Amino acid sequence: MREPSLLPELCILLSLSGVVFQKAEGACARCPQNSFCVNNTHCTCNHGYTSQSGQKFFTFPLEICQDIDECKPPFSIYCGSNAECQNVEGGFYCRCDLGYKLLSGDTQFQNSHENTCRKITSPNTTKGKKELQQVVENFESLLINKTLWGTGEKREVASMITSLLQTMESSVLETALKTPNQEIQKVQNSTMAIETRVVTDNCSEERKIFNLNVQMNSLDIHCNDIIQGNVQGPSAVALISYSSLGNIINATFFDEMNEKDGVFLNSQVVSAAIGPKRNISLFNSVILSFQHVKTKPLSKKAFCVFWKSTEEGGHWSTDGCFPIQVNKSHTTCRCTHLSSFAVLLAFTSQEEDPILAVMTYVGLSLSLLCLFLAALTFLLCKAIQNTSTSIHLQLSLCLFLAHLLFLTAVDRTEIKVLCAIIAGALHYLYLASFTWMLLEGLHLFLTARNLTVVNYSSTNRLIKWLMFPVGYGVPAVIVAISAGSRPHLYGTPDRCWLHLKQGFIWSFLGPVCAIISVNLVFFLLVFWILKRKFSSLNSEVSTIQNIRMLTLKATAQLFILGCTWCLGILQVGPAARIMAYLFTIINSLQGFFIFLVYCLFSHQVRKWFGDIMKPKSESESYTLSSRFGPYSKSSEDK
């Protein structure tokens, strides 16, 4: 018998030893970027870098060595007075502040001991400031000319202001770019204040943001938005504040609010511009902070607006601008473009009532709970499951989602696109609820008619086939047409709902009024049918009970699905507050009414609840105990 060959085992051992050798040799060969090998076994990051995992020594080939920002905590390198720390890839350096330079003439140094920053003076500084001052004086003479602005029509004034603002911004940027060595220039007088900043290094610092301040108003703008890809020459940004311009282009040029809402300008008009290319679109949003002219009461609504140039001249608009922080002294806005900006405040025509707010939240919370219980009942109670129950279930689901979205997101107005989506979703869900209400009325009418019609099965099958396409398809078509024709009217300044402008609210109120009217017709027909049937009865108890239940449902349906919403339209005149309270109380309890009428009033549902809650009887307990008692035979003994 031949001995087994050792060749396969030898090959395996040699391959394993080769793998171990490659692992020892390859630990350094696979060190990531910005790292080096230690003792041919481990890797470590270069000076000025740290591993993403936090380990000093590592062998994982996909480890990443990240740059350490020595200028931020926990390091926060101190460079001395009139100097700042500047982080670079793998290290840092110190440099003098703008307007200062080292005695040696160098542009950077390493620590505070080398700091010799001294203030510099240059003839170009005086020259640039004089030219900027001259621009201010020329524009100031136009602003204080009351004859020029007091006699013109509103359209002419808007057109002239638009032209003057553009001319002013161009002149300021042109003046700043003439003296690029003077990075920062500031000019201020009684009516205007200007700050300009010139960028010549093409944003060598990643993610650098410049801050400009004029008369307690500020602008934060990303460096890349200033240079706009301009690598051949300097670029500039200018922030201009006008103390008296708000008296000329006041809140009357804001078309998004009614006069009765009491809108007024509560900040100086501030212009932000970049050059030499006068682009107004940005890759990154800018942050503007405005000081209030009058201390803002927290109950009033603040609007971030910009001066929008149009064929008619111009007006204030909120497109692309929204407040991100508001306190008594300042409003901070985020805008996706550059223009002339301001803050408007509005005294709303109907102040928020805290009692109504509490009633709304409590009522809708109770309604959500009842709708949830009703939906579970319709799903789980087998005894009542039919076409009518399916309609009840869809109505409950639509109302549940609509109330939940209303409670959690109706006031999320910070992001305009998100607010428009929320308004569109609410529009759809409430329209779907009303459509299912219409199907409820139709089914109730057909059920009452079934008492006098012999063949009802074909009609019932038609309802089952049509209810889902109608219940969810009709509101989808209405919302699609509304959103396609006027998408900008979804979302108001203080609520994520349909705008009142251009009659857009009727894309909701129109279908609602139509459904309420049709449901009223169904209600009258049901009562007419039941009256005829009742007069021709031969004392059939079951039929009388059916008629009584149908009468109760018809009355409740008219009340729940129609009359409550009419109270919202009646909130006018001296009885507006009373109607508001009635509307809030009754409408917020819609879910409770649905659970009460369709679940608690149902004998089958009450019996089902009783079966669930009823404990096991003694006979059942005895049967179970005797089955498994000590005298019972096991299966093995059989």
Side-chain angles (χ1 to χ4, degrees), residues 439-495:
L439 291 171
E440 286 269 15
L442 175 62
H443 187 264
L444 184 62
F445 164 70
L446 294 176
T447 303
R449 183 171 172 267
N450 186 38
L451 297 174
T452 59
V453 177
V454 177
N455 186 9
Y456 180 66
S457 58
S458 61
T459 306
N460 199 32
R461 285 196 300 269
L462 182 64
I463 286 289
K464 288 182 179 180
W465 186 75
L466 283 178
M467 66 179 185
F468 283 99
V470 173
Y472 290 112
V474 170
V477 171
I478 295 173
V479 173
I481 294 174
S482 302
S485 60
R486 296 170 185 172
H488 61 285
L489 295 181
Y490 276 101
T492 67
D494 54 353
R495 287 289 184 272

Side-chain angles (χ1 to χ4, degrees), residues 79 81-83 94-97 100-111 114-120:
C79 294
S81 59
N82 303 320
C94 296
R95 68 177 184 183
C96 296
D97 292 338
Y100 294 83
K101 70 176 182 178
L102 294 170
L103 292 177
S104 62
D106 295 334
T107 57
Q108 55 184 268
F109 55 97
Q110 285 299 313
N111 54 66
E114 301 175 8
N115 185 337
T116 58
C117 297
R118 296 291 182 270
K119 191 172 181 65
I120 58 175

Side-chain angles (χ1 to χ4, degrees), residues 5-59:
S5 174
L6 296 177
L7 184 59
E9 287 83 351
L10 181 62
C11 291
I12 293 172
L13 286 173
L14 287 174
S15 62
L16 287 175
S17 63
V19 170
V20 173
F21 177 75
Q22 286 179 3
K23 184 175 181 180
E25 285 281 320
C28 290
R30 295 195 298 271
C31 284
Q33 187 179 7
N34 301 319
S35 66
F36 61 94
C37 185
V38 179
N39 296 331
N40 290 327
T41 58
H42 293 81
C43 301
T44 187
C45 293
N46 295 337
H47 180 72
Y49 294 87
T50 184
S51 65
Q52 193 175 40
S53 64
Q55 297 178 345
K56 184 175 181 181
F57 301 102
F58 53 87
T59 57

